[in-house]
């Protein structure tokens, strides 16, 4: 049975529309398909001050995903790794759902591999691998701060000198007392300067007295001789 031209045109329009709708659904399904590109992992400190690896899933298809955290180890016989933590994102959304994976320790330079398994669509690692930056969290931060404090010079705790006089220091009355006056003992005869101050001894006084007596005696002898000479001339 042959179709009329009108029916043939209608059939072609329906077929074309159905094919376009199928292609649109395929494209939409591809856009919503879960992929490793929907996942990100970053190291950070959580609200409690603990170092964590935060994984965010922005899978619009809502495919549940299991996340595994592996610590990369460098051994003498080659590289190894250890599984540290596992979390599940049951209901991811296009806006993003996050989980925190907890490492055993937190040291700058440590490297972690984050693996994602989401149904039969994703079984891959998040790239690049996570490397811990030089940031301290929680107990590590406290230990670092304590070490920094102990290493820094401590301020002097010695008390400042008291303004009040101590028991061993002289009192203000004693310190302000006048200097004792010079001795009132009589000075040696002659009224000159004290000999002890010039370096001369008491023997100098005796010598001076003897010299004066000799001068007086010599003068008496000269006078006597002149008188005798006058008498003889008469």
């Amino acid at each position: 049975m042959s179709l009329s031209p009108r029916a043939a045109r209608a059939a072609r329009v329906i077929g074309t529309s159905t094919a376009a709708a199928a292609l649109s659904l395929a494209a939409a399904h591809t856009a919503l398909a879960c992929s490793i590109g929907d996942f990100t992992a970053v190291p950070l400190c959580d609200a409690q001050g603990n170092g964590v690896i935060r994984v965010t899933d922005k899978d619009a298809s809502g495919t549940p995903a299991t996340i595994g955290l592996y610590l990369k180890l460098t051994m003498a016989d080659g590289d190894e790794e250890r599984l540290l933590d596992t979390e599940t994102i049951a209901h991811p959304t296009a806006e993003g759902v996050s989980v925190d994976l907890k490492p055993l320790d937190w040291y700058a330079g440590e490297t972690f591999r984050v693996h994602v398994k989401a149904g039969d669509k994703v079984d891959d690692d998040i790239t690049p691998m996570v490397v811990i930056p030089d940031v301290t969290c929680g107990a590590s931060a406290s230990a670092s701060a304590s070490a920094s404090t102990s290493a820094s010079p401590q301020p002097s705790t010695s008390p400042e000198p008291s303004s009040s006089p101590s028991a061993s220091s002289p009192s203000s009355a004693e310190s302000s007392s006048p200097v004792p006056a010079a001795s009132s003992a009589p000075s040696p005869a002659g009224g000159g300067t004290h000999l002890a101050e010039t370096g001369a001894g008491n023997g100098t006084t005796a010598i001076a007295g003897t010299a004066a007596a000799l001068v007086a005696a010599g003068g008496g002898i000269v006078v006597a001789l002149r008188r005798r000479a006058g008498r003889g001339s008469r």
Side-chain angles (χ1 to χ4, degrees), residues 183 185-188 191-200 202:
S183 174
S187 59
T193 304
H194 200 288
L195 295 179
E197 297 176 359
T198 60
N202 292 333

Side-chain angles (χ1 to χ4, degrees), residues 101-179:
L101 297 138
K102 302 172 181 62
L104 295 178
D105 47 25
W106 184 268
Y107 297 115
E110 278 189 316
T111 302
F112 296 91
R113 180 173 71 89
V114 181
H115 187 78
V116 178
K117 179 70 170 68
D120 59 353
K121 300 177 180 179
V122 177
D123 189 1
D124 202 354
D125 296 335
I126 297 176
T127 56
M129 287 191 288
V130 178
V131 179
I132 302 301
D134 189 10
V135 176
T136 54
C137 297
S140 299
S142 300
S144 177
S146 299
S148 177
T149 302
S150 61
S152 62
Q154 297 295 327
S156 175
T157 57
S158 58
E160 295 185 359
S162 173
S163 59
S164 60
S166 62
S168 59
S169 62
S171 64
S172 58
E174 293 174 348
S175 61
S176 61
S177 61
V179 178

Side-chain angles (χ1 to χ4, degrees), residues 25-156:
L25 289 174
H29 179 74
T30 301
L32 294 175
C34 180
S35 69
I36 192 62
D38 296 328
F39 298 84
T40 58
V42 293
L44 50 80
C45 301
D46 64 9
Q48 289 72 39
N50 301 313
V52 298
I53 310 298
R54 180 162 295 172
V55 177
T56 302
D57 182 2
K58 293 185 177 182
D59 173 22
S61 70
T63 305
T66 300
I67 317 296
L69 179 67
Y70 296 82
L71 172 64
K72 301 293 289 184
L73 301 172
T74 302
M75 312 297 290
D77 54 352
D79 291 342
E80 296 183 6
E81 60 183 20
R82 180 190 308 166
L83 177 62
L84 300 180
D85 196 9
T86 302
E87 292 288 346
T88 299
I89 301 177
H91 304 287
T93 65
E95 290 74 20
V97 176
S98 299
V99 292
D100 290 343
L101 297 138
K102 302 172 181 62
L104 295 178
D105 47 25
W106 184 268
Y107 297 115
E110 278 189 316
T111 302
F112 296 91
R113 180 173 71 89
V114 181
H115 187 78
V116 178
K117 179 70 170 68
D120 59 353
K121 300 177 180 179
V122 177
D123 189 1
D124 202 354
D125 296 335
I126 297 176
T127 56
M129 287 191 288
V130 178
V131 179
I132 302 301
D134 189 10
V135 176
T136 54
C137 297
S140 299
S142 300
S144 177
S146 299
S148 177
T149 302
S150 61
S152 62
Q154 297 295 327
S156 175

